[in-house]
Amino acid sequence: MTSVRSGLVTRSPLRLAADSSRVITRLFVPGQEGFEHQDSRAGAVLNRILALDENEVRASLDDVVTRFGWRHRDLDGVFRAHARELADRLDAAAELSDARMMLLGATFTSEYAIEGAALCNPSMVAHPDQTGIPSGSLRFVMSVRGIGEGHISSIGFRTGVIDATGATTIDAAAPYATAGGAVPALLDAVVLRSELSRLREAGEGADYVLDALGDRFTRNDLDEQLDRLQRHRRTRGHASETISLIREIADRFYGVEFAEDIPLAERILWPAMGAEAAGMEDARFVRFVDDDGSVTYCASYTAYSGTRISQQLLATKDFNSFTSTPMVGRAAANKGLALFPRRFRGQFAAMSRSDRETNSFAYSDCPFVWTESVPCQQPTQPWEVLQLGNCGPPIETEAGWLVLTHGVGPMRTYRIGAILLDLENPSRVVGQLREPLLSPGADEQDGYVPNVVYSCGGIVHAGVLVVPYGIGDATIGFASVPVSEVLDAMESARN
């Protein structure tokens, strides 16, 4: 296959499809699959394992290792960790063979195909390591949204290279998929106070807790202060409700770490707290350069609990250790916040879609708190009459901030457009494509969600805009266009 030109863009023949063989391990507790209203059946299953004779144990374990050992990096370690989860159900005096403990762990383990249903909504940034790349080329990291059984979304990564002509190649997929381990993270008082205020729970109980803790603190520090409030709750109104709400918000602060020997393309960010139990959706990565020159890779994403959505901000220096922090405030109340790659006069900036249908611009002193936004683009064209939003972080050009947008029109068709914002006053639109940059082609209408082309972030290299995009929420394609041609088309539309 060869590249195909359609309108302004050239579609690459390169496609990434969901791979159902990419699996991670999860603790499996019978009776707690989410659809039964009864106690766990773990005790009965455990007794059956203990009743097996040693030959049966070894034969069963050998079968498991033969069928699954090659699919995971450290299956023995997983089995041992899951067996430890059952330690409180075992007789401390009992002496169990290593094989029986391993089989016990295997029995309480299941696989989850992270891309079993779909692969979509990519976001592309420059890789932190550019060593060994040919002159004129750029190595990139691309985040992807994998969707599996039950529509649970996770964040994965691919790597590749864009050459001097803007052509894209993708590195071979990693042989394993490995979910990172959740670790504690520092909590931020500004975030907690802002969210409590939005929920109208910033009363004396909250002040009693937060005034004693300073600007940043550990979860243990918070829990100790909440226990003090609990002991004195009778003298402070709504103390029990305040304690519950503070803990709910605090649960949204966490970190994720990977062993350094795990390749980037193997790493999976898997839901780690209740607010994202049903998925981590649509990460919009940006290479953020602070005023002191330091670089942090940030990504806003949608956390979905199964009934409610909220936004979180990932941050990493190396794609090895991550923090996830709540994004709160009225401008962050919906989906699709996208950070600018630098500050403006000391403040952070973002594109917002807090009203669910227009593109807005927001400033903030804190990257986690977004209180106000100003609409800058309303739906006006037939292909965007239902709603507008961004398709990733703004990209700085000499002419202005290039923002990929999405518009939704008749038959709930998603198309990708573009606007240009003023460099010094990004709340002002100075250019706009009247026609979509990218629409579902004849071979792009079908998929997990039909009639959708959608991106969470493109990149400019060698004067070429490269746009990775989800097709029908099922596969990922790549399109490219010289930036100059996009800007020229905007000028024509504006004039």
Side-chain angles (χ1 to χ4, degrees):
M1 294 179 64
T2 59
S3 299
V4 176
R5 175 91 179 206
S6 175
L8 288 176
V9 303
T10 298
R11 282 174 165 85
S12 165
L14 178 64
R15 293 273 177 96
L16 289 183
D19 182 354
S20 60
S21 72
R22 289 181 59 77
V23 290
I24 61 172
T25 55
R26 301 170 69 191
L27 179 69
F28 174 74
V29 182
Q32 293 185 3
E33 293 93 334
F35 52 81
E36 296 181 88
H37 300 285
Q38 62 184 48
D39 288 340
S40 161
R41 294 186 284 111
V45 173
L46 174 60
N47 289 334
R48 293 171 195 142
I49 297 294
L50 296 177
L52 297 173
D53 68 42
E54 202 64 28
N55 288 333
E56 290 175 315
V57 167
R58 291 186 181 279
S60 182
L61 181 61
D62 287 346
D63 173 66
V64 169
V65 172
T66 298
R67 290 190 297 124
F68 297 101
W70 59 275
R71 288 162 67 91
H72 301 279
R73 174 172 290 275
D74 181 20
L75 197 57
D76 284 4
V78 170
F79 290 166
R80 295 183 194 282
H82 289 176
R84 287 194 294 270
E85 295 282 346
L86 299 158
D88 64 321
R89 294 177 178 270
L90 294 171
D91 183 349
E95 293 187 7
L96 303 183
S97 68
D98 186 63
R100 195 177 298 269
M101 289 297 292
M102 292 280 283
L103 182 62
L104 181 61
T107 305
F108 286 82
T109 299
S110 66
E111 288 187 325
Y112 184 89
I114 53 175
E115 300 172 12
L119 185 72
C120 56
N121 300 358
S123 174
M124 191 180 281
V125 290
H127 197 294
D129 181 7
Q130 295 293 323
T131 58
I133 296 301
S135 177
S137 296
L138 178 78
R139 178 185 285 131
F140 63 82
V141 177
M142 185 174 71
S143 67
V144 296
R145 175 186 174 189
I147 305 175
E149 178 187 359
H151 198 76
I152 298 176
S153 299
S154 58
I155 299 171
F157 301 97
R158 300 289 193 276
T159 57
V161 173
I162 303 171
D163 69 17
T165 69
T168 301
T169 57
I170 298 291
D171 298 331
Y176 306 116
T178 301
V183 297
L186 290 176
L187 282 66
D188 192 303
V190 172
V191 176
L192 281 159
R193 289 186 188 277
S194 178
E195 186 69 346
L196 288 166
S197 178
R198 185 182 72 85
L199 298 172
R200 300 180 182 177
E201 290 290 343
E204 62 170 351
D207 289 340
Y208 174 81
V209 172
L210 297 175
D211 287 350
L213 293 173
D215 294 335
R216 304 193 77 194
F217 43 87
T218 67
R219 182 60 186 264
N220 285 340
D221 293 336
L222 175 65
D223 286 340
E224 288 179 6
Q225 193 64 12
L226 289 173
D227 289 343
R228 293 190 184 99
L229 176 58
Q230 177 68 20
R231 291 195 294 271
H232 300 287
R233 66 188 182 280
R234 295 178 64 185
T235 64
R236 291 176 173 84
H238 309 292
S240 295
E241 294 88 342
T242 298
I243 291 170
S244 178
L245 186 55
I246 289 177
R247 285 194 166 127
E248 182 180 315
I249 300 169
D251 286 345
R252 293 172 57 192
F253 293 81
Y254 69 92
V256 178
E257 293 184 354
F258 294 88
E260 292 187 359
D261 62 341
I262 295 177
L264 175 52
E266 182 179 327
R267 299 170 191 170
I268 303 298
L269 297 173
W270 179 258
M273 46 91 173
E276 63 190 21
M280 306 167 71
E281 303 177 359
D282 302 353
R284 287 162 158 78
F285 269 92
V286 63
R287 183 179 182 272
F288 184 86
V289 182
D290 215 335
D291 289 347
D292 62 1
S294 62
V295 175
T296 304
Y297 295 87
C298 300
S300 56
Y301 70 93
T302 299
Y304 180 46
S305 70
T307 57
R308 291 187 297 173
I309 61 170
S310 54
Q311 292 200 85
Q312 297 278 125
L313 185 67
L314 285 170
T316 181
K317 294 286 189 181
D318 54 10
F319 289 91
N320 189 68
S321 298
F322 296 79
T323 58
S324 181
T325 305
M327 301 182 83
V328 300
R330 188 168 61 181
N334 207 282
K335 294 183 174 185
L337 201 78
L339 288 179
F340 280 70
R342 62 174 174 83
R343 296 183 192 237
F344 286 89
R345 293 176 285 278
Q347 290 186 301
F348 298 90
M351 297 299 294
S352 168
R353 199 197 69 181
S354 56
D355 66 356
R356 300 188 65 187
E357 65 176 20
T358 63
N359 275 318
S360 298
F361 175 81
Y363 273 126
S364 177
D365 294 324
C366 172
F368 314 121
V369 180
W370 301 88
T371 56
E372 301 292 338
S373 62
V374 178
C376 63
Q377 184 194 14
Q378 307 281 345
T380 58
Q381 304 302 316
W383 55 275
E384 60 188 24
V385 292
L386 285 173
Q387 69 185 48
L388 281 170
N390 68 74
C391 267
I395 299 169
E396 189 167 9
T397 73
E398 292 183 358
W401 292 99
L402 180 61
V403 180
L404 293 174
T405 65
H406 72 263
V408 186
M411 293 297 291
R412 196 172 176 260
T413 299
Y414 277 69
R415 295 176 170 91
I416 296 175
I419 57 175
L420 191 69
L421 306 179
D422 186 89
L423 271 179
E424 299 303 320
N425 179 16
S427 63
R428 188 168 71 92
V429 177
V430 296
Q432 179 175 345
L433 291 181
R434 300 301 179 190
E435 299 296 329
L437 186 67
L438 199 65
S439 298
D443 63 341
E444 296 175 335
Q445 285 190 265
D446 300 329
Y448 189 57
V449 181
N451 307 310
V452 172
V453 291
Y454 191 91
S455 179
C456 287
I459 193 170
V460 170
H461 175 63
V464 177
L465 171 64
V466 178
V467 183
Y469 63 99
I471 302 168
D473 275 9
T475 58
I476 292 172
F478 298 85
S480 62
V481 56
V483 173
S484 60
E485 293 188 17
V486 178
L487 298 179
D488 287 346
M490 287 181 173
E491 282 289 332
S492 299
R494 185 173 49 178
N495 290 337

